[in-house]
Amino acid sequence: MLANALQGVRVVDLSRILAGPWCTQNLADLGADVLKVERPGLGDDTRGWGPPFVTAASGEKVAAYFLSCNRGKQSVTADFANAADRDWLLRQIRDADVLVENYKVGTLAKYGLDYASLAALNPGLIYLSVTGFGQSGPFAHRPGYDYIFQGMGGLMSYTGIEDGEAGAGPLRAGVAVVDLMTGMYATSAVLAALVQRGRTGRGQHLDIALLDVAVAMNANQASNYLVSGESPVRSGNTHPNLAPYEVFACADGHIILAIGNDTQFAAFCRLMGTDWHSQSDFATNAGRLTHIKRLRPLLREKLVCWQVAELGRALDANGISWGGINDLEQVFAHPQVQHRQMLQTVEHPQLGRLRLVRNPMVPMDQGVQSTPPPVLGPAALPESTHYDRQEI
């Protein structure tokens, strides 16, 4: 079972906020034993990133943000500056497979928790550093959050309302996409390093930077620039390489119309009772992109006469891709989302019933992954060699 794929893998999680915790949550969902080490009294910053909050029986308030990225972990608090706590933590690391941290470059070296020190203690340790700018370079010591990298990495330069339209200007994505993508790249790197260690017996230092990820995730937009020499510009809800591929108003709402090829466009035109597909300017995708400012008002005039549900049925019948724009209540009520069991309910002994989102890597027939996110854990136990996993 994939949910048990990492059973027996021990992870010490020194990360906070989202990118690092997203990686370690993935590892926990795949069966790893993840020990989240937090600051005494405060814990991970995101415990306070609310409202909304869930209140534990003890009175502790836990932000929904924290719950989104810390499933399946055990929490313990430790002060790195305290010798007894640090010695206890070193004993955990000695027998760990993976350590994940996202401190500013050089911070952990002050406590003997840097890679060079820990590799001497545990040569097989896979040490993952997640930082804003990486372990080297002129910006390496600068801090940074996701929002910064959405701007610096290029995403916001072509995301937003196009010039000349009302409200023109750059916009960030509505969720921390650079953090999340960094967490996914980090997960892949850790899994690859575990496979490689199986061949060599040696660990390694993984250096994952949010800026690197922000640059990489430009994907086709970066390739468009590298081929053409022209930076993409903001284009609202349109696609830089396909047309029509955008949001349109209907009589009672909006839809996303996603035409992926010329055959689909011809089918769409027949459904609309037009011959646009036979006109030279619109017959090919390249032509439609070139002449989109002429095509768009024609599309709007036709589509605004349809009800969303009626249009959706007609598009489905003709094999044309489309989608509604759902709020989250509609998302979790959607029959396909429900069939895929993306919403899962778990019981937490202190926080009560929690509704969580299934990790899509873990097949839905393998049940609820791991355990719920933890309340802030107890102090480290210096007299113990290991922190024994307990019920939260």
Side-chain angles (χ1 to χ4, degrees):
M1 292 177 62
L2 197 61
N4 296 324
L6 298 183
Q7 188 171 15
V9 173
R10 295 174 60 88
V11 179
V12 174
D13 183 7
L14 306 184
S15 67
R16 311 160 321 277
I17 316 296
L18 185 54
W22 197 257
C23 169
T24 53
Q25 178 171 263
N26 281 332
L27 300 177
D29 285 344
L30 294 172
D33 184 2
V34 179
L35 177 64
K36 184 176 180 70
V37 182
E38 304 187 64
R39 296 172 298 170
L42 298 172
D44 188 313
D45 299 42
T46 61
R47 287 185 179 275
W49 283 18
F53 293 99
V54 176
T55 303
S58 64
E60 177 186 342
K61 291 183 179 295
V62 182
Y65 197 115
F66 177 86
L67 299 177
S68 74
C69 53
N70 287 287
R71 180 177 55 243
K73 305 174 188 179
Q74 186 76 12
S75 173
V76 64
T77 57
D79 179 359
F80 300 162
N82 179 284
D85 282 10
R86 188 169 60 253
D87 289 346
W88 175 87
L89 180 56
L90 289 172
R91 289 196 292 272
Q92 312 312 305
I93 295 170
R94 183 189 63 199
D95 297 322
D97 299 288
V98 179
L99 182 143
V100 179
E101 61 91 8
N102 63 346
Y103 284 82
K104 288 170 60 177
V105 173
T107 298
L108 292 181
K110 295 183 296 185
Y111 307 105
L113 298 174
D114 56 304
Y115 175 68
S117 299
L118 297 182
L121 174 72
N122 179 355
L125 182 68
I126 295 162
Y127 188 110
L128 167 65
S129 294
V130 178
T131 56
F133 296 93
Q135 296 295 300
S136 62
F139 281 58
H141 290 276
R142 283 184 55 175
Y145 289 96
D146 171 275
Y147 206 155
I148 303 300
F149 299 106
Q150 288 195 38
M152 288 188 70
L155 176 65
M156 289 176 63
S157 72
Y158 53 81
T159 301
I161 307 302
E162 59 188 303
D163 289 336
E165 299 287 334
L171 292 171
R172 69 175 181 88
V175 72
V177 291
V178 179
D179 270 341
L180 296 174
M181 284 289 287
T182 300
M184 297 307 298
Y185 271 110
T187 301
S188 296
V190 168
L191 295 177
L194 285 168
V195 172
Q196 189 172 57
R197 191 186 66 177
R199 294 196 295 263
T200 67
R202 302 291 299 181
Q204 59 184 291
H205 188 191
L206 304 174
D207 174 12
I208 304 292
L210 271 73
L211 181 59
D212 295 354
V213 171
V215 173
M217 63 183 279
N218 285 305
N220 58 293
Q221 292 281 27
S223 187
N224 289 346
Y225 162 72
L226 293 172
V227 168
S228 69
E230 297 180 5
S231 292
V233 297
R234 298 187 308 277
S235 56
N237 284 318
T238 65
H239 193 285
N241 299 108
L242 291 172
Y245 202 99
E246 58 187 276
V247 174
F248 289 96
C250 294
D252 62 342
H254 292 81
I255 69 159
I256 302 167
L257 180 65
I259 302 292
N261 57 52
D262 297 339
T263 300
Q264 291 178 9
F265 184 67
F268 172 79
C269 291
R270 288 190 290 270
L271 174 62
M272 295 292 111
T274 75
D275 65 349
W276 299 328
H277 59 293
S278 64
Q279 299 177 24
S280 58
D281 286 349
F282 302 144
T284 65
N285 179 69
R288 293 192 294 276
L289 273 174
T290 301
H291 301 287
I292 189 62
K293 290 188 176 180
R294 284 180 43 221
L295 178 60
R296 186 176 291 124
L298 300 176
L299 295 165
R300 288 173 174 168
E301 183 179 0
K302 287 289 185 180
L303 293 171
V304 76
C305 299
W306 289 75
Q307 301 286 320
V308 169
E310 177 190 13
L311 177 59
R313 288 191 293 270
L315 293 171
D316 284 340
N318 285 272
I320 299 167
S321 180
W322 74 283
I325 299 176
N326 296 332
D327 63 25
L328 289 179
E329 181 178 0
Q330 293 169 315
V331 168
F332 288 111
H334 193 284
Q336 186 66 16
V337 173
Q338 292 183 347
H339 171 77
R340 299 292 296 177
Q341 300 176 28
M342 288 305 299
L343 176 61
Q344 298 188 333
T345 301
V346 296
E347 292 291 341
H348 191 293
Q350 297 181 55
L351 298 175
R353 178 168 294 184
L354 297 175
R355 297 194 298 169
L356 304 173
V357 178
R358 177 176 69 84
N359 189 323
M361 290 193 294
V362 179
M364 61 182 180
D365 62 355
Q366 294 184 13
V368 176
Q369 310 93 34
S370 306
T371 56
V375 295
L376 187 60
L381 309 173
E383 70 279 3
S384 301
T385 301
H386 293 292
Y387 187 82
D388 296 324
R389 189 171 180 86
Q390 303 168 356
E391 292 299 318
I392 53 178

